[in-house]
Amino acid sequence: GGVGRALLEQILALREHHAATYGVWFNATLLADSSGALVLPSIADAKLREALARKESGGKLREMQTDGVLAKPDDQSASDFLEGLVKSGHISADSLVIDCTATDETIPALKAALSVGGKVVCANKKPVSADQQTYDTLVGIPRHMHRVRHESTVGAGLPVIAALNRLLAANDTIHKVAGTFSGTLGYVMTGLQNGRKFSEIVIEAKRLGYTEPDPRDDLGGLDVARKALIIARGMGWRLELADVAVTPLYPPEFENLTVAEFIEKLPELDAGFAKQAAEAAGKGEALRFAALVENGKLTVGPQSVALTSPLGSLSGTDNLVEFYTKWYPASPLVIRGAGAGAGTTAAGILSDMVELAFSATPDFTRRSARGGMGDADVE
């Protein structure tokens, strides 16, 4: 996908930086997509660029005419194929397994990688927002800080999880976390604040590519709920996705419509949202589609917030997170910036990789094969 390609491009572009600054060289040994995999002891940079070019042109890895290509059997699930690659000896204690997908079919492979001593960097929200038992296995009790990172599951490259972990490390009691985790929904809320019609905003956002092909995938709030759950679990809460109270931006009767029918009926919602926006403005507030983690509860949906608050000052597609803690009780710790995009997401993944491969991994072994540089295999 786009994130995986952006990550490979950054790894290749930053070879000299990583070597000079950290003494690290990321050696790619396994590259997989839904069609198959490229598996070699060391995949040369030229071959990585060939794979990138093929994917960018809409091709598949199984179509590459080169050594090391393994095609996924048509009758085998992606889950079984990926898990089989791990269990076939392609993953070692030096391996970093990077999940840039958006599917839960990677979960067995991630578990298998950890079981043989590998390390995991996850940009995929689904494994860490799956059932609590899966989360516990992946993240660990106590936490596998030196083996598992998932910064880019919340806010792309924004250091949300890093900030959370530092607060917890200092035992700075977290009383509340509030945030907007969807650039699409931020765009919609800003439009309402500016007096535009809800239907007009959504249709424009779809045309601009801000929404999924079916806008309900964004307007339903499930992606925001996953991110809120990941933060809450990071705080030590034990909850399931079903425990998140989500208020979508459309009524239940719109759920089973076709996309065309849904778009056609959107104007029916204009008056209701205009009223909500006007009521908020009358109180010196604005509507934001926000997640709230407080008092053991997770709520996701449109909320009216003070214009003078960090959330209230937000506009456009940026993400923002507020941490209210013992040391930040009235003026919260705020993280704000672009919360989407392949490049920013890949940058968050790459930072996690460097930390796991070098500074954050107590059992990391330096090698002399590349002039004394640390050498970490990348899957």
Side-chain angles (χ1 to χ4, degrees), residues 22-24 366-375:
Y22 302 105
V24 167
R366 283 189 172 273
R367 302 176 183 176
S368 58
R370 298 185 186 274
M373 293 186 294
D375 185 3

Side-chain angles (χ1 to χ4, degrees), residues 36 51 71 75 123 144 221 261 300 313 332 352:
D75 60 351
H144 300 150
E261 291 169 341
V300 170
S313 68
D352 277 347

Side-chain angles (χ1 to χ4, degrees), residues 132 135-136 143 168 174-177 228-240 243 292-299:
Q132 183 72 53
Y135 179 87
D136 292 344
R143 297 178 186 183
L168 295 171
I174 300 173
H175 304 298
K176 180 175 75 171
V177 181
L229 179 62
I230 291 168
I231 289 176
R233 284 178 168 174
M235 293 165 57
W237 295 15
R238 302 187 65 79
L239 295 169
E240 301 292 349
D243 296 320
L292 184 63
V293 183
E294 186 179 24
N295 296 327
K297 296 181 179 179
L298 299 181
T299 56

Side-chain angles (χ1 to χ4, degrees), residues 7 11 60 84 96 147 216 266 284 335 358:
L7 176 61
I11 290 173
K60 300 177 180 179
L96 299 178
R147 294 180 61 199
R216 285 169 292 191
L266 275 176
I335 299 170
F358 184 68

Side-chain angles (χ1 to χ4, degrees), residues 79-121:
S79 178
D80 289 343
F81 176 71
L82 292 171
E83 185 180 14
L85 290 174
V86 173
K87 291 183 174 180
S88 297
H90 299 299
I91 303 298
S92 69
D94 286 331
S95 297
L96 299 178
V97 179
I98 318 302
D99 185 356
C100 299
T101 72
T103 175
D104 57 9
E105 291 196 90
T106 59
I107 292 174
L110 299 179
K111 290 180 178 179
L114 290 173
S115 72
V116 297
K119 302 169 184 66
V120 167
V121 176

